[in-house]
Amino acid sequence: MFELSWFSDQDPVAAWWHPIALLSPEQREEFENVPAPQLWGEIGTRASQRVGVIQAKLVGPTGEERVIDLLINDWLDVQQGRYRYLATDQDGLIRVRMVLGEYLACEVVWEQS
């Protein structure tokens, strides 16, 4: 609620948890992936205060270079090795991923109403 300035009194549409060590490499990559934000929340929300900007230099096959700016919203380590989370708002879904004790991977998803 505080991270994205969003509230729902509805039940989640999906909830999932699994020991992180038992995820396949593909599942782990998908879980750890930080999607590029489509929209940013309100100015002043926690998510908007932690936005990172990076520049990527792309070089094409013919040697042409292009620099692009990327906005990122990375995982938040609340207590390193104990608890981290990622809250995203994409495609009409609020998705909260968390890792507990670097052991248990969890995800809860709500539809925006």
Side-chain angles (χ1 to χ4, degrees), residues 14-110:
W16 168 91
W17 57 92
H18 201 77
I20 204 163
L22 298 180
L23 296 175
S24 71
E26 295 81 19
Q27 290 172 316
R28 176 80 183 255
E29 184 176 332
E30 173 65 26
F31 180 77
E32 297 281 357
N33 181 44
V34 179
Q38 296 170 336
L39 296 173
W40 288 99
E42 296 176 32
I43 299 297
T45 61
R46 291 181 186 190
S48 70
Q49 293 173 0
R50 283 194 289 275
V51 173
V53 180
I54 62 172
Q55 284 190 333
K57 181 178 180 179
L58 306 174
V59 179
T62 60
E64 72 273 8
E65 294 182 1
R66 192 171 115 199
V67 176
I68 59 172
D69 295 324
L70 301 170
L71 296 175
I72 58 171
N73 183 22
D74 207 357
W75 284 82
L76 178 65
D77 283 317
V78 176
Q79 187 176 5
Q80 190 167 356
R82 304 291 293 156
Y83 177 64
R84 60 187 169 100
Y85 72 92
L86 174 68
T88 59
D89 175 358
Q90 289 210 252
D91 301 322
L93 298 174
I94 298 294
R95 187 178 310 269
V96 179
R97 292 178 181 166
M98 61 204 95
V99 177
L100 307 173
E102 290 304 316
Y103 169 75
L104 192 63
C106 311
E107 180 179 72
V108 183
V109 181
W110 290 267

